[in-house]
Amino acid sequence: MTPDQWSAAFTGRIARRLRDSRRAAGLTMAEVAQGCADRGLPEFTEHSMKNLESGRKTSITVAEAVVLADVLGVPPVTLLFPLGSSATVEVLPGREVSTWDALAWFTGESPLAEPAPEGSTRAVLDLFRQHGDLVAAALSSHALARERRRAASTTLDRARRATLLQRAEGYEEHAFEDCQELRTFRGQMRDRELAPPSLPNELAFVDQPATSPPSEDSE
């Protein structure tokens, strides 16, 4: 496949994904065009959608792909790579790889033999991905600790209550350690002049001066 053929085929793949997503969403071409206009892209009309789906329109801009994905309620990257419907894809002219590997490469998740160079774009992606993992861990342990404390507080049997409270303290200590690790990591990101993502409301205390996570008794 020549580069020109690859470009047309790439756009054609996006067009098929758009058509399938439009039909799955139960939208007409006119409704998609109106959705684009509502989002500030009035130049993508019903006629544009018809030409794209029919193959007469052989290119699509990044702005169009992003807005269309929002209108159709799908992640933009899934328009580019047919994950789940095709085992492989020609990610670049003459370069056929698995569809998952293509998607991972596009989002910066491809595994590398060596760590990303300090300060590189890939290193920044890895930092934010690690931050997401730490947030997920802190949310999970914090919720579990709250659940254990609540279970203990609603138990009428004194002996069992004492046992459950002791167990709850262990879960709370684990949650505290997870939150401390997250706080430290966010500080390290700021030291590198990176702005950490906003935290979920349940973890807002992490950015406050060092304190223990709020317990059920303090609510």
Side-chain angles (χ1 to χ4, degrees):
M1 185 181 294
T2 66
D4 287 344
Q5 292 172 326
W6 174 83
S7 178
F10 194 94
T11 301
R13 185 168 66 242
I14 295 174
R16 288 189 294 274
R17 298 286 285 186
L18 284 169
R19 179 198 61 205
D20 294 344
S21 298
R22 178 180 65 79
R23 291 175 177 174
L27 297 175
T28 65
M29 294 184 186
E31 288 171 332
V32 171
Q34 183 59 54
C36 289
D38 293 342
R39 289 162 175 77
L41 194 70
E43 58 270 29
F44 193 90
T45 64
E46 179 181 0
H47 188 63
S48 303
M49 194 66 181
K50 288 180 179 178
N51 284 340
L52 188 59
E53 289 194 9
S54 68
R56 290 191 296 270
K57 179 176 169 59
T58 58
S59 65
I60 182 171
T61 68
V62 173
E64 290 171 342
V66 170
V67 171
L68 283 166
D70 188 59
V71 172
L72 299 172
V74 298
V77 72
T78 62
L79 297 177
L80 307 181
F81 303 108
L83 190 65
S85 62
S86 179
T88 63
V89 65
E90 191 172 2
V91 65
L92 292 171
R95 185 179 174 185
E96 187 91 6
V97 301
S98 78
T99 305
W100 173 248
D101 286 342
L103 189 151
W105 166 75
F106 187 84
T107 58
E109 296 179 86
S110 297
L112 298 177
E114 298 178 0
E118 183 68 24
S120 68
T121 302
R122 173 59 197 270
V124 173
L125 284 171
D126 287 346
L127 275 174
F128 276 82
R129 193 167 291 114
Q130 186 177 351
H131 178 273
D133 292 340
L134 291 175
V135 168
L139 277 172
S140 178
S141 60
H142 184 52
L144 188 55
R146 288 164 60 91
E147 179 186 334
R148 295 291 178 171
R149 173 66 64 172
R150 184 178 294 111
S153 66
T154 57
T155 299
L156 298 179
D157 184 279
R158 290 186 177 181
R160 178 165 174 75
R161 176 184 172 87
T163 299
L164 292 178
L165 284 173
Q166 186 176 12
R167 291 178 181 174
E169 289 175 0
Y171 282 97
E172 288 166 351
E173 180 62 27
H174 182 64
F176 180 73
E177 291 173 356
D178 283 348
C179 291
Q180 284 284 74
E181 184 177 4
L182 176 58
R183 176 185 288 118
T184 299
F185 192 84
R186 289 172 67 82
Q188 292 171 347
M189 292 180 74
R190 294 187 180 97
D191 289 343
R192 299 186 185 194
E193 298 184 348
L194 298 173
S198 298
L199 290 169
N201 290 336
E202 302 93 317
L203 297 178
F205 61 85
V206 168
D207 277 341
Q208 297 171 0
T211 57
S212 299
S215 65
E216 288 292 308
D217 297 337
S218 64
E219 293 181 352

